[in-house]
Amino acid sequence: MSRKFRNLGPETFDFVETAPIPLLREILEYRGSDSEPEIAIDWPTTDNKDDWRAELLGRLDAFAADDLRPVEDRCRRIRFLAVGKGPTSLEHVAVDRRSHEEMEELYDQPDALCRSTWLFLRHPEDFEDAEAFHAARQYRDFGKMYDSFEATAGTAERIDAGKIDEEALASLLTARLELPSRVTIRSIDLPGTQTHPPSVMVIVRHGGPLSSVLNYKGNGVRTPIYFRPPNEATLIWTPAERAIEICGPAPKVRKVLGDGFAEVVLKADLSSKPLSWRRYDLSRFRESLLLPLPAWDDVDVSAARLIEVELRLGNWSRRLLLRVTIDDDIE
């Protein structure tokens, strides 16, 4: 009968069960910040690997669940980029950023979990970029925090990541979003796939609105902690389609980022030819496929129909497409 653990999370449990011991020790000793609870582990001394892991699981479970939460979050992030399309997302970012010698060290890792762990430990900024790229790949297929714009004006020359003036774009976005601290920008070239032409991805990270939480101290006194949550938006520019795709939680940031990219990178004059909004929030279609008639004062709309729906089945490679005529009831 397998042992049950009360405080140990499922991601940490699976990581301890499968990761090589040297990398496992590094992850458990890793601290993301000084405010993170310190896990002082008394390492097992047995030479049998199975007994060593079993004994370590028991010792970890002796800690409080709150103290183990940062470890659980780290293991979840690492394992997320070790399954499905995660390894290809991680590898693409690593190839773009790391040297030949570093890539050889990455490829020498025995499996996808070890490669994800290696990048997290050795190059955390690249790991975060791989997470953003992985999320953007899924948002391109479906995502409610997603906008797409068509840029019909501006430069026609090829734009790759190396040609983007990141300083100018960061300055413009910081000013227009009225942020107290400067945004950071990371750019990556995306190769063509079966479903998407070659593109450029721009990751924008910035501080969100000032927020606070009440923190309980050891003496029972509550004191507020003020902080700015780390927000992020990802833009993908596809020259062949003249399309700007943006995913992120804030609609204002998505719009400002699209306009700023068009002005700074594409050299577009938005005063004479603004961006055309091509895609909208699709979450309402989870309830119904019916379209209400818009109430416009200067236009009389007689009908509104949805004529095409595409569904993903189980994973992103399987899809079901339904297309009807405008006279059919798609529901």
Side-chain angles (χ1 to χ4, degrees):
M1 183 175 178
S2 61
R3 176 180 174 182
K4 293 184 179 180
F5 298 95
R6 296 183 57 187
N7 299 324
L8 201 63
E11 301 289 348
T12 306
F13 176 85
D14 289 341
F15 198 90
V16 173
E17 287 274 277
T18 56
I21 291 177
L23 287 178
L24 172 59
R25 293 184 66 146
E26 284 193 70
I27 286 296
L28 294 179
E29 291 176 346
Y30 181 93
R31 293 186 70 199
S33 67
D34 293 338
S35 61
E36 182 178 316
E38 184 175 1
I39 305 296
I41 300 175
D42 185 14
W43 298 103
T45 57
T46 178
D47 293 332
N48 185 288
K49 292 184 178 180
D50 292 337
D51 293 341
W52 191 93
R53 294 178 190 273
E55 190 173 340
L56 176 62
L57 287 171
R59 295 185 181 186
L60 285 173
D61 194 55
F63 289 94
D66 283 348
D67 292 341
L68 293 173
R69 186 170 300 169
V71 178
E72 176 74 3
D73 291 341
R74 271 195 291 278
C75 293
R76 174 186 51 78
R77 293 172 61 195
I78 291 171
R79 284 168 50 81
F80 186 64
L81 288 185
V83 297
K85 291 184 178 180
T88 59
S89 299
L90 183 142
E91 181 179 343
H92 176 75
V93 173
V95 167
D96 188 75
R97 298 280 168 75
R98 308 294 6 131
S99 66
H100 176 72
E101 291 75 15
E102 289 170 324
M103 289 306 301
E104 285 187 337
E105 186 175 354
L106 176 66
Y107 290 138
D108 283 343
Q109 303 302 312
D111 56 25
L113 180 65
C114 294
R115 287 188 284 274
S116 182
T117 306
W118 183 90
L119 194 68
F120 177 90
L121 291 169
R122 306 294 183 264
H123 307 284
E125 288 187 349
D126 294 340
F127 184 89
E128 290 181 356
D129 290 349
E131 289 180 302
F133 175 39
H134 190 53
R137 295 176 73 176
Q138 298 180 61
Y139 278 128
R140 291 183 95 179
D141 291 316
F142 177 78
K144 66 178 182 179
M145 299 183 297
Y146 179 88
D147 282 335
S148 180
F149 302 92
E150 183 178 10
T152 55
T155 181
E157 67 176 271
R158 175 179 172 80
I159 300 293
D160 55 31
K163 291 184 178 180
I164 294 177
D165 190 342
E166 297 181 354
E167 288 295 321
L169 183 57
S171 298
L172 184 143
L173 295 178
T174 302
R176 290 193 177 174
L177 293 172
E178 300 178 345
L179 297 173
S181 58
R182 188 178 178 84
V183 305
T184 59
I185 292 180
R186 309 261 289 180
S187 305
I188 305 173
D189 289 314
L190 305 182
T193 66
Q194 293 182 351
T195 54
H196 300 290
S199 310
V200 178
M201 183 174 72
V202 178
I203 306 168
V204 179
R205 298 188 174 102
H206 62 93
L210 188 66
S211 184
S212 67
V213 294
L214 287 176
N215 179 45
Y216 277 89
K217 293 188 174 182
N219 58 3
V221 176
R222 299 188 305 172
T223 58
I225 297 178
Y226 291 92
F227 66 97
R228 292 190 181 277
N231 286 358
E232 183 174 293
T234 303
L235 178 148
I236 297 178
W237 162 245
T238 306
E241 299 176 349
R242 305 293 294 178
I244 300 174
E245 301 168 90
I246 308 173
C247 57
K252 178 182 177 181
V253 173
R254 298 199 297 264
K255 183 64 169 65
V256 171
L257 175 55
D259 289 345
F261 182 87
E263 293 179 28
V264 173
V265 180
L266 303 182
K267 310 299 182 185
D269 181 8
L270 300 185
S271 62
S272 60
K273 184 63 176 177
L275 297 178
S276 300
W277 197 9
R278 291 175 36 172
R279 199 162 302 180
Y280 302 85
D281 186 340
L282 304 179
S283 59
R284 64 173 177 169
F285 294 116
R286 297 176 182 174
E287 303 294 334
S288 172
L289 298 180
L290 295 179
L291 293 177
L293 294 180
W296 293 333
D297 295 335
D298 54 345
V299 178
D300 185 15
V301 180
S302 60
R305 300 281 193 273
L306 194 66
I307 61 173
E308 184 176 326
V309 174
E310 182 180 295
L311 304 176
R312 298 292 170 167
L313 305 176
N315 60 54
W316 302 111
S317 63
R318 301 191 190 114
R319 63 180 183 176
L320 174 66
L321 178 65
L322 172 62
R323 183 178 297 158
V324 300
T325 70
I326 196 170
D327 297 323
D328 292 325
D329 181 356
I330 196 168
E331 287 209 335

